[in-house]
Amino acid sequence: MKGILEICVDSAASAIAAQDGGADRIELCSALAIGGISPSPALFHQVKENTALEVRVLLRPRAGDFCYDEYEFRQLREEVEMFRKLGADGVVIGILRPDGTLNVEQMKELVRLAGTMKVTMHRAFDVCSNPMETMETCIQLGIDTILTSGQKSSAMEGWKLLAELTERAAGQIEILAGAGITPEVIRQLYSMTGITSYHMSGKKVQDSRMEFRREGVPMGIQGLDEFGIWRTDGQQVRKAAEALREL
C-alpha cells in the first residue's frame, strides 16, 4: 500500500526535517501555534529552494472562524493567484457561510483561480453543519482532498465519521486524517477506517537560542512561551513514515 504522509510546517527548517524524515508532501503555513495562517512568498521560496517535496500552501487570512468578509475573500483570491504563479503544487482553503454550510460560490471561485493546482479543503470541514453533504459538494467542485479529524478534537475520537467518509468517498476524493496523528494512531486508524493519508506536524518545542531573556513581556497570546520555538522533529516523521510502510 502506498500511503501519503503530509507534514504541516511553518519554517524552512521544519520543511527540511520533514523531507529528511520521509514525508511525501508538506502543508506550508505561518504561525502554526495559532492553527496556521497564510505564509509569505519569501518563506515559500525558502522551502522550494531547500526541499524537493510537493508543497500545498495553507491560505487563511486570520485565526478564528472560516466566515470571511469581502476584504478577506479578496485577499484569498489574490493569494491563490500569487501562489499559483510562484509554482505551488496546491492550496489548502475553506470558507463557510454563517449557517455552517460551505460557501459554494466563493469556493468555486477559488478553485477556478487555482487552475491546475491541487486543492485541499482544510479543517473548516470539521466545523461545517453537514459533513456528508459538504464532501459531495467538494467532489463536485473538483477539490482533491479533505483534511479532517472527523469533526472531533482528534482523529482517533472522530474515527467513526472518518470511516463513513472514506466509504462514501469511494476513492473520488482523498480523505486526509489529521489532529493527534502519531505512528501508533496511524496503525490504529488504518485498521478502523482504511484511511491511507495522514497529516501531522510532528512538532517539538525547541528552546530559544536567546541567552538574555526579558520575562513577563508577552508579544501575543497570554501564556504562550516566547522562548519556545515550534519545529518539526524529523525522528517523529521517520517513525510515522515507517508505520505507513508497514500497513
Side-chain angles (χ1 to χ4, degrees), residues 28-32 34-39 58-63:
L28 181 63
C29 67
S30 288
L32 189 54
I34 57 170
I37 56 175
S38 303
L58 173 71
L59 300 181
R60 187 180 178 211
R62 55 164 171 76

Side-chain angles (χ1 to χ4, degrees), residues 232-247:
T232 294
D233 182 358
Q235 197 56 33
Q236 290 189 50
V237 176
R238 187 169 295 108
K239 290 178 180 178
E242 289 170 358
L244 264 180
R245 286 197 297 268
E246 292 169 6
L247 300 181

Side-chain angles (χ1 to χ4, degrees), residues 65-136:
D65 65 34
F66 304 101
C67 185
Y68 300 123
D69 63 29
E70 62 179 297
Y71 307 105
E72 292 164 332
F73 179 59
R74 192 177 303 160
Q75 177 182 333
L76 286 168
R77 292 180 77 259
E78 291 184 15
E79 287 178 332
V80 170
E81 291 188 280
M82 175 179 68
F83 281 106
R84 187 191 71 227
K85 292 173 183 176
L86 289 175
D89 298 288
V91 289
V92 183
I93 55 178
I95 307 178
L96 300 178
R97 293 193 182 96
D99 64 359
T101 59
L102 194 66
N103 191 318
V104 178
E105 292 77 17
Q106 291 186 346
M107 288 294 289
K108 186 175 183 179
E109 173 66 2
L110 296 185
V111 171
R112 183 188 70 80
L113 291 171
T116 59
M117 288 193 294
K118 299 290 187 182
V119 178
T120 298
M121 169 71 183
H122 61 42
R123 291 190 65 206
F125 182 87
D126 283 325
V127 291
C128 75
S129 56
N130 189 322
M132 290 300 173
E133 180 181 284
T134 299
M135 181 179 72
E136 293 298 336

